[in-house]
Amino acid sequence: LRFSCRRWGGLVQAGGSLNFSCAAAGFTFENYAISWFRQAPGKEREGISCISISDGSKYYADSTKGRFTISSDNAKNTVYLQMSSLNPEDTAVYYCGADPVRECPDFRVLNSHGADYWGLGTLVTVSS
């Protein structure tokens, strides 16, 4: 199972936007739930969003609800994360992760367990 992740956009100022994509290979995409996580400096890893590939259900942590949007293109085995209204508190290393389940895990599980499979992390710095 492999993830190829890309970030669209460079340095971000407060109020700005940034997009991520993660292309997956090596597994049956529709049998997985794909999540995005982040870890800010000095803080624990946080699950911020999850999408069930099989039925398209989407879930967001309170910290990102209304500002971040998760989506998928199943034909391309790709999950996207669109981030808007960014603020310095969004500064973190961002990861995508996959779990071999059709329904997204509860965020308490995501926060404690993480994901079974990980993409490489990408640092996002939001300047004030």
Side-chain angles (χ1 to χ4, degrees), residues 8-56:
W8 305 91
L11 297 176
V12 183
Q13 291 187 323
S17 300
L18 199 65
N19 298 326
F20 278 106
S21 66
C22 265
F27 61 98
T28 303
F29 199 54
E30 65 181 10
N31 291 337
Y32 280 71
I34 309 296
S35 301
W36 288 94
F37 298 81
R38 68 183 181 186
Q39 187 163 18
K43 294 187 177 181
E44 295 187 349
R45 184 183 57 218
E46 174 190 20
I48 58 173
S49 188
C50 181
I51 184 168
S52 166
I53 299 302
S54 61
D55 68 7

Side-chain angles (χ1 to χ4, degrees), residues 3 15 29-30 33 35 42 44-45 53-54 57 66 75 83 89-90 92 104 109 113-114 116:
F3 281 111
F29 199 54
E30 65 181 10
S35 301
E44 295 187 349
R45 184 183 57 218
I53 299 302
S54 61
S57 299
M83 307 188 293
E89 289 70 40
D90 293 314
C104 284
V109 174
H113 168 70
D116 284 356

